[in-house]
């Protein structure tokens, strides 16, 4: 029995690496890093994060969350038909290709997949693609229940990833305000791959674990599939600092995900509620994106040149600036006792004591704080700061 289950798990991993969307996501993550580095060098002549950061974080950053969802999926026997995963793969592929990551929210992918299969069934359409028969699912089947619960869990995962990593990948962009002044906006664009174990109709699990909890799909046999769920995210911020905007956005998505999960559980008793909850969740998720886009279109920039000092637009990782606790949006008023009002004055003041820098900084709460750091030979010659000019 143990051998058969281990073989089935090994096959599940094999199915992950056979899925073309997994490799397309890797290529897209590499491309995202390339675009970001090119953009940062255009505006600031230096990159903030390593160009491979997006690719490295593709699997790593969401792996623990994926494991938790997989355990819930397997424990409660949340089954999904193979054709549902197949349609989800196609929709994810299209969203990646057209480069609109708003469409890569799990609630959008799952709802679009389910609607597609319902339409196939309603119009009695059947398509055979690469050996997979797509003939739709009936509204009375429990797939809407499972899809709602899983979509809700994945929405929670999406919100958690946005809260934790949204600001980290926020890349500064120099723009012209309506007044013709230079200002800094921030673009965060990221994708994650969450390898999730799904239970699908097969022949191994039920043979050895007849007590396995499940939603019936007319079959008593199930298999495991390790499916790469693609979660995409993009958001521009101007009016609000990234460190404040992305946690708020992530929190809104987490709350929506929790509501969708509750609706999915209710759908266990009233199946139609599952489909309705997916549609409501889709509309609400799009509404959240639109709301945050509109509020950040104001011509009031959180980061722009200030007469009171030099405003920080970026901090390089592992630099003296980061070690001093400097953050985007803070204003440097004095360097080594000298007032500074431009980037040139900032670096001239740093040369007064090249081995040690003392800064007077105005933080986000408009409170003055002092910080200092010993500058070593291996440190960045500009202490790792990008400033708004």
């Amino acid at each position: 029995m143990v051998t058969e289950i281990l073989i089935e798990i090994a096959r599940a991993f094999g199915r992950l690496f056979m899925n073309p969307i997994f490799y397309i996501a890797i290529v897209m993550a590499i491309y995202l890093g390339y675009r970001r580095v090119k953009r940062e060098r255009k505006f600031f002549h230096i990159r903030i994060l390593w160009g491979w950061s997006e690719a490295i974080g593709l699997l790593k950053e969401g792996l623990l969350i994926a494991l938790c969802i997989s355990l819930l999926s397997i424990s409660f026997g949340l089954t999904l038909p193979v054709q549902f995963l197949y349609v989800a793969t196609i929709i994810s592929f299209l969203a990646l290709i057209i480069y609109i990551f708003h469409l890569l929210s799990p609630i959008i992918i799952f709802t679009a997949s389910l609607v597609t299969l319902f339409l196939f069934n309603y119009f009695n359409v059947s398509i055979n693609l690469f050996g997979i028969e797509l003939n739709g699912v009936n509204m009375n089947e429990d797939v809407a229940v499972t899809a709602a619960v899983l979509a809700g869990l994945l929405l929670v995962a999406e919100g958690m990833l946005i809260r934790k990593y949204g600001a980290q990948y926020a890349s500064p962009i120099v723009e012209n305000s309506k007044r013709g002044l230079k200002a800094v906006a921030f673009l965060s664009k990221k994708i994650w791959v969450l390898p999730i174990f799904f239970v699908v109709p097969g022949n191994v699990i039920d043979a050895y674990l007849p007590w396995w909890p499940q939603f019936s799909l007319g079959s008593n046999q199930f298999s495991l599939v390790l499916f790469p769920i693609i979660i995409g995210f993009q958001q521009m911020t101007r009016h609000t600092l990234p460190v404040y905007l992305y946690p708020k956005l992530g929190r809104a998505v987490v709350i929506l995900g929790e509501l969708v999960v509750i609706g999915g559980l209710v759908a266990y008793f009233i199946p139609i509620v599952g489909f309705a909850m997916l549609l409501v969740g889709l509309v609400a998720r799009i509404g959240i994106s639109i709301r945050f886009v509109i509020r950040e279109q104001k011509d009031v920039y959180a980061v722009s040149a200030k007469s009171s000092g030099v405003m920080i637009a970026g901090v390089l990782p592992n630099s003296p600036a980061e070690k001093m606790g400097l953050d985007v949006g803070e204003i440097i008023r004095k360097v080594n006792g000298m007032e500074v009002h431009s980037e040139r004055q900032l670096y001239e003041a740093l040369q007064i004591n090249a081995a040690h820098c003392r800064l007077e900084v105005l933080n986000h709460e408009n409170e003055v704080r002092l910080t200092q750091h010993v500058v070593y030979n291996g440190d960045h010659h500009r202490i790792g700061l990008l400033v708004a000019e």
Side-chain angles (χ1 to χ4, degrees):
M1 179 180 76
V2 175
T3 302
E4 291 292 337
I5 293 177
L6 290 176
I7 291 175
E8 186 63 22
I9 292 175
R11 288 175 178 171
F13 276 96
R15 294 178 184 117
L16 170 68
F17 294 109
M18 289 175 61
N19 196 320
I21 198 69
F22 178 70
Y23 300 99
I24 294 172
I26 293 175
V27 172
M28 185 59 69
I30 295 172
Y31 178 68
L32 281 174
Y34 166 77
R35 285 286 300 270
R36 177 184 52 76
V37 169
K38 185 176 180 180
R39 184 172 59 246
E40 289 170 354
R41 285 178 173 163
K42 172 185 175 182
F43 293 119
F44 298 97
H45 310 293
I46 192 171
R47 53 118 175 126
I48 298 178
L49 296 177
W50 189 35
W52 290 88
S53 297
E54 282 82 355
I56 292 173
L58 183 70
L59 272 168
K60 178 182 176 183
E61 293 168 354
L63 204 55
L64 181 59
I65 297 175
L67 176 61
C68 294
I69 296 178
S70 293
L71 290 175
L72 289 172
S73 173
I74 295 173
S75 299
F76 292 98
L78 301 179
T79 59
L80 284 174
V82 174
Q83 58 177 331
F84 180 92
L85 299 179
Y86 197 83
V87 174
T89 298
I90 296 173
I91 295 174
S92 298
F93 170 77
L94 293 175
L96 283 170
I97 293 300
I98 64 178
Y99 206 59
I100 301 177
F101 290 179
H102 290 299
L103 301 178
L104 284 169
S105 176
I107 191 70
I108 295 177
I109 298 297
F110 272 54
T111 305
S113 300
L114 196 59
V115 168
T116 300
L117 291 177
F118 280 163
L119 291 176
F120 271 48
N121 179 75
Y122 182 79
F123 291 105
N124 198 25
V125 175
S126 179
I127 299 177
N128 189 298
L129 290 177
F130 305 106
I132 301 294
E133 188 74 20
L134 302 181
N135 50 24
V137 295
N138 193 286
M139 182 72 76
N140 296 323
E141 294 183 21
D142 291 329
V143 63
V145 179
T146 305
V149 173
L150 287 171
L153 291 173
L154 289 167
L155 260 180
V156 172
E158 178 188 1
M160 293 173 64
L161 290 169
I162 293 172
R163 288 177 63 178
K164 187 172 183 179
Y165 297 106
Q168 177 179 323
Y169 288 96
S171 177
I173 300 173
V174 177
E175 295 184 339
N176 290 319
S177 67
K178 292 180 180 179
R179 298 179 180 180
L181 302 175
K182 297 290 184 181
V184 178
F186 296 87
L187 173 63
S188 189
K189 195 161 187 174
K190 185 74 170 68
I191 57 173
W192 295 277
V193 171
L194 270 62
I196 307 291
F197 277 104
F198 289 119
V199 182
V200 299
N203 60 5
V204 173
I205 297 178
D206 186 64
Y208 296 100
L209 304 175
W211 45 266
W212 194 273
Q214 60 192 351
F215 293 121
S216 175
L217 292 176
S219 172
N220 294 320
Q221 297 177 319
F222 299 89
S223 293
L224 286 176
V225 170
L226 189 57
F227 185 78
I229 294 290
I230 311 296
I231 294 181
F233 161 70
Q234 66 181 69
Q235 177 67 49
M236 180 80 79
T237 173
R238 297 180 179 87
H239 179 66
T240 310
L241 289 172
V243 70
Y244 297 121
L245 179 95
Y246 296 114
K248 288 181 181 179
L249 174 57
R251 188 160 49 249
V253 175
V254 167
I255 293 173
L256 175 60
E258 292 170 346
L259 293 175
V260 173
V261 170
I262 294 172
L265 295 176
V266 173
Y268 179 74
F269 305 99
I270 312 174
I272 191 65
V273 173
F275 182 61
M277 202 64 212
L278 284 170
L279 292 177
V280 170
L282 180 144
V283 173
R285 181 64 185 91
I286 294 175
I288 290 173
S289 294
I290 293 175
R291 176 189 167 211
F292 278 87
V293 167
I294 292 175
R295 66 181 287 182
E296 293 305 313
Q297 287 180 339
K298 298 177 182 178
D299 193 43
V300 179
Y301 288 79
V303 177
S304 60
K306 303 293 182 182
S307 59
S308 56
V310 177
M311 176 163 275
I312 301 172
V315 177
L316 301 185
N318 303 315
S319 65
E322 184 182 64
K323 294 170 185 175
M324 284 188 284
L326 299 180
D327 201 0
V328 173
E330 292 186 322
I331 299 174
I332 300 174
R333 294 174 44 167
K334 290 184 180 180
V335 177
N336 291 329
M338 291 186 57
E339 290 188 359
V340 293
H341 300 280
S342 67
E343 184 176 19
R344 180 177 178 179
Q345 291 178 356
L346 170 67
Y347 295 121
E348 286 177 350
L350 284 172
Q351 299 308 311
I352 294 176
N353 188 348
H356 192 90
C357 60
R358 297 184 302 275
L359 306 182
E360 181 181 299
V361 181
L362 195 65
N363 64 18
H364 298 158
E365 288 75 35
N366 289 320
E367 298 173 346
V368 177
R369 66 182 178 91
L370 302 176
T371 183
Q372 56 185 352
H373 181 71
V374 177
V375 181
Y376 299 99
N377 290 332
D379 287 332
H380 192 271
H381 71 288
R382 292 189 170 182
I383 71 169
L385 281 176
L386 305 181
V387 302
E389 279 279 83

